[in-house]
Amino acid sequence: YESDVNYQKIYAVNLTYDENSHGKSCSLCYKSYQHNDTISLTRCNHTFHANCLKDWFDYQSTCPSCNKVCMA
């Protein structure tokens, strides 16, 4: 599945949510992060639920927050 290959080139890191280190909610689905959620940190330092961002990058190549190109 092609988007899975591109998905791996996009991220800086996938993290477990820590309320002291990251924003409070995902700007793609608007849901609050919960303890132990897997979130993705883009190269431009924006966080989203990992699954939300993966779905976004199936159709887009830019960060949903700042529109910077995120493809490797």
Side-chain angles (χ1 to χ4, degrees):
Y1 183 53
E2 184 65 28
S3 64
D4 286 338
V5 173
N6 291 336
Y7 178 76
Q8 295 302 318
K9 294 178 183 177
I10 293 165
Y11 294 136
V13 65
N14 282 339
L15 307 165
T16 300
Y17 175 65
D18 173 0
E19 66 185 39
N20 298 316
S21 301
H22 305 101
K24 299 293 184 194
S25 64
C26 175
S27 63
L28 288 170
C29 70
Y30 303 108
K31 292 182 181 176
S32 296
Y33 295 129
Q34 301 297 316
H35 182 67
N36 289 329
D37 276 356
T38 301
I39 60 171
S40 293
L41 177 68
T42 62
R43 293 176 180 190
C44 44
N45 292 315
H46 294 111
T47 57
F48 307 91
H49 286 115
N51 288 335
C52 294
L53 194 58
K54 182 183 182 307
D55 291 345
W56 172 268
F57 284 130
D58 282 343
Y59 300 98
Q60 303 292 327
S61 62
T62 59
C63 173
S65 289
C66 69
N67 293 318
K68 288 186 179 179
V69 175
C70 292
M71 300 297 279

